[in-house]
């Protein structure tokens, strides 16, 4: 399986998990305490995590006011992030000067953010979220099996090499 296929498949998995997380967030807002998502179990509560202030990181950090249109939930930001991964194998990404470098930078940001969120989950919220764990597994897999191999040996948007004369 080529780098582009791995990147696209992990991106699709991320989009699907983000879509589920967004659905849970919407149902928690509309149905309130009467809705119990499938991701809530005796191991942990995704609804508690999605309802925490950490679910809207930009307002938590004071970058935008709470309720601002840019105060995206992590699920919404995930849809965009994983959507970029899905688009990587397309010609659109090939228009950038070094798409493999941008992919690696995005993936590195993803694993650093996952480390931060894992810390928050374990030591601040003291909870477990299977949906969050899936996001983190996708982020680390994207780095190890997609972005790093593509960076070391660009195959998806490889530029043709000039022939030595």
């Amino acid at each position: 399986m080529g780098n582009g296929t791995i990147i696209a498949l992990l991106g699709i998995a991320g989009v699907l998990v983000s879509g589920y997380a967004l659905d849970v967030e919407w149902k928690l807002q509309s149905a309130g305490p009467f809705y119990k998502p499938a991701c809530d179990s005796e191991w942990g509560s995704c609804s508690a995590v999605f309802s925490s202030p950490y679910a809207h990181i930009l307002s938590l950090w004071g970058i935008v006011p709470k309720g601002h249109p840019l105060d995206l939930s992590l699920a919404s930001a995930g849809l965009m992030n994983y959507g970029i991964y899905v688009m990587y194998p397309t010609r659109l990404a090939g228009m950038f000067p070094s798409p493999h470098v941008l992919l690696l930078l995005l993936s590195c940001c993803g694993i650093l953010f996952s480390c931060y969120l894992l810390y928050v989950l374990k030591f601040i919220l003291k909870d477990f979220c299977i949906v969050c764990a899936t996001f983190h597994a996708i982020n680390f897999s994207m780095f190890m099996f997609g972005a790093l191999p593509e960076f070391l040996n660009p195959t998806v948007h490889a530029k043709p090499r000039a022939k030595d004369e």
Side-chain angles (χ1 to χ4, degrees), residues 1-2 19 24 27 67 69 72 76 81-82 91 97 132 137 140 142:
M1 192 174 327
V24 169
K27 287 178 180 172
L72 302 175
S76 300
N81 178 54
Y82 297 117
R91 289 184 187 159
C132 304
F140 286 105
M142 180 64 74

Side-chain angles (χ1 to χ4, degrees), residues 13-163:
V15 166
L16 292 173
V17 176
S18 295
Y20 174 73
L22 201 55
D23 182 61
V24 169
E25 285 179 1
W26 287 341
K27 287 178 180 172
L28 285 170
Q29 289 174 356
S30 62
F34 303 108
Y35 174 65
K36 180 160 172 51
C39 54
D40 278 359
S41 71
E42 69 241 13
W43 296 336
S45 171
C46 67
S47 59
V49 173
F50 295 162
S51 301
S52 79
Y54 290 93
H56 290 264
I57 206 76
L58 294 179
S59 62
L60 178 75
W61 289 347
I63 296 171
V64 298
K66 188 167 179 58
H68 190 275
L70 292 178
D71 185 21
L72 302 175
S73 70
L74 292 177
S76 300
L79 278 174
M80 290 186 282
N81 178 54
Y82 297 117
I84 291 170
Y85 288 139
V86 171
M87 297 298 293
Y88 179 78
T90 68
R91 289 184 187 159
L92 182 64
M95 295 178 358
F96 291 95
S98 297
H100 60 289
V101 174
L102 296 175
L103 176 71
L104 184 70
L105 289 173
L106 182 61
S107 182
C108 286
C109 290
I111 60 172
L112 289 172
F113 195 57
S114 277
C115 289
Y116 167 74
L117 291 175
L118 283 166
Y119 171 82
V120 167
L121 197 58
K122 174 71 176 162
F123 298 107
I124 297 174
L125 297 178
K126 296 182 177 145
D127 209 338
F128 176 76
C129 168
I130 190 66
V131 176
C132 304
T134 306
F135 283 131
H136 305 316
I138 292 170
N139 287 343
F140 286 105
S141 296
M142 180 64 74
F143 178 78
M144 287 301 299
F145 305 116
L148 188 58
E150 179 65 12
F151 176 76
L152 295 174
N153 182 23
T155 58
V156 177
H157 299 291
K159 305 285 186 217
R161 295 182 179 195
K163 293 182 181 181

